[in-house]
């Protein structure tokens, strides 16, 4: 019925079809790939943790779209 519902539904449908892919992407971003793929991924995990975003996430989301924060949060709520 509104923009929130649209992106929530999009997140839900994406997760339904690609949950494992999302889990790998999450682990790549958080530096926790080695927990599931083994020690050969330690170097990648260390790099991901060193380059972790430390800025204002709401400002970053809104850089992409004026309502980016609400859109991305609706999408991730649908995934979760």
């Amino acid at each position: 019925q509104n923009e929130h519902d649209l992106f929530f539904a999009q997140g839900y449908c994406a997760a339904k079809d690609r949950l494992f892919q999302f889990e790998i992407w999450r682990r790549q971003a958080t530096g926790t790939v080695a927990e599931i793929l083994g020690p050969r991924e330690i170097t990648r995990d260390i790099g991901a943790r060193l380059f972790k975003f430390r800025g204002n996430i709401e400002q970053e989301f809104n850089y992409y779209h004026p309502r980016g924060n609400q859109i991305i949060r609706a999408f991730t709520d649908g995934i979760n």
Side-chain angles (χ1 to χ4, degrees):
Q1 293 184 359
N2 55 45
E3 185 175 73
H4 177 274
D5 293 349
L6 168 70
F7 286 103
F8 183 94
Q10 185 180 16
Y12 177 83
C13 290
K16 190 174 94 170
D17 294 337
R18 298 180 173 270
L19 192 57
F20 182 75
Q21 181 181 14
F22 284 4
E23 176 64 13
I24 294 298
W25 286 348
R26 182 189 69 78
R27 288 181 173 276
Q28 287 174 336
T30 59
T32 57
V33 176
E35 290 178 7
I36 59 171
L37 297 183
R40 69 175 186 255
E41 299 297 328
I42 292 284
T43 304
R44 178 201 312 247
D45 285 352
I46 291 169
R49 290 179 186 201
L50 289 173
F51 292 111
K52 183 177 179 180
F53 182 76
R54 291 174 174 79
N56 181 322
I57 197 68
E58 289 184 19
Q59 184 179 8
E60 181 70 14
F61 288 165
N62 289 333
Y63 174 80
Y64 299 102
H65 188 279
R67 292 183 309 285
N69 189 45
Q70 293 95 335
I71 290 169
I72 293 169
R73 300 231 184 249
F75 181 79
T76 56
D77 286 347
I79 291 170
N80 294 324

